Amino acid sequence: MPNAMMKAKDSIYGSLAECYITIGTRRYNFMSLTDFESKWEVKITEVKILGKVGMGHKAAGGKGTWSGTAHYNQSHFRAIAEHYQKTGEMPYFEIQVSNEDPTSAAGRQTIIHRDCLCDKFTLAKFKAGEEILDEELSGTFESWDMPEKFNELEGY
């Protein structure tokens, strides 16, 4: 019996993603993003155990980070930076990302990143001769939810 293999059509085409940001009570379709990635890093602590030569390990917390590139044509994050600079209050926000490719049996997955912060801001920029301006974005988030999960593909 041959090994089960993923069908090429079940890969997810990245350009079909959706991204929304919620700042305060306003929700925006953040269609200016051209790439995005978030990661949840688990902190592993070493555990000393009497009578054992090797160390044990235990999960002891986590840290969320996100990064992306956007077209330089929106001011949402600059407005957050301006608010922080003038008031000392850094507004938290949410980022919701959904991936769905209608040709894939994987279906749809949605991740909602909660209590997000930006850690750097592009305030102004130009580049002579550049056809399209973009900007790098990055930050942290404190928790996340996955209200929609990909379907299990045949063979798992």
Side-chain angles (χ1 to χ4, degrees):
M1 184 170 156
N3 290 335
M5 285 188 247
M6 186 188 89
K7 296 175 183 168
K9 73 176 193 74
D10 290 335
S11 59
I12 303 297
Y13 185 59
S15 289
L16 298 177
E18 298 174 340
C19 183
Y20 294 90
I21 57 172
T22 303
I23 304 170
T25 59
R26 297 274 322 265
R27 186 172 193 242
Y28 304 94
N29 183 342
F30 200 28
M31 59 193 161
S32 298
L33 274 179
T34 58
D35 71 69
F36 178 86
E37 183 174 49
S38 63
K39 296 183 180 189
W40 181 255
E41 180 182 338
V42 176
K43 181 181 178 190
I44 303 294
T45 300
E46 291 185 346
V47 179
K48 298 174 183 175
I49 301 171
L50 186 62
K52 188 174 179 183
V53 175
M55 290 281 188
H57 299 90
K58 182 172 181 148
K63 175 183 175 181
T65 58
W66 63 271
S67 62
T69 304
H71 291 295
Y72 181 74
N73 64 358
Q74 54 76 34
S75 296
H76 304 306
F77 291 108
R78 279 176 280 287
I80 288 173
E82 181 182 37
H83 182 81
Y84 177 61
Q85 181 229 182
K86 290 182 176 180
T87 68
E89 177 193 1
M90 176 67 90
Y92 287 85
F93 56 93
E94 289 183 356
I95 302 172
Q96 177 180 318
V97 176
S98 296
N99 295 98
E100 183 176 27
D101 181 339
T103 64
S104 173
R108 181 177 176 92
Q109 176 179 278
T110 298
I111 303 288
I112 302 171
H113 307 80
R114 309 254 186 224
D115 298 319
C116 299
L117 291 173
C118 275
D119 59 14
K120 63 182 174 183
F121 301 89
T122 300
L123 298 181
K125 74 182 292 180
F126 69 85
K127 187 172 184 179
E130 187 74 18
E131 292 182 19
I132 304 292
L133 290 176
D134 62 14
E135 62 182 307
E136 299 299 318
L137 302 167
S138 63
T140 60
F141 59 95
E142 294 185 13
S143 64
W144 56 279
D145 294 307
M146 186 168 45
E148 296 177 294
K149 298 175 177 128
F150 286 131
N151 300 322
E152 285 190 21
L153 298 174
E154 188 177 312
Y156 280 107

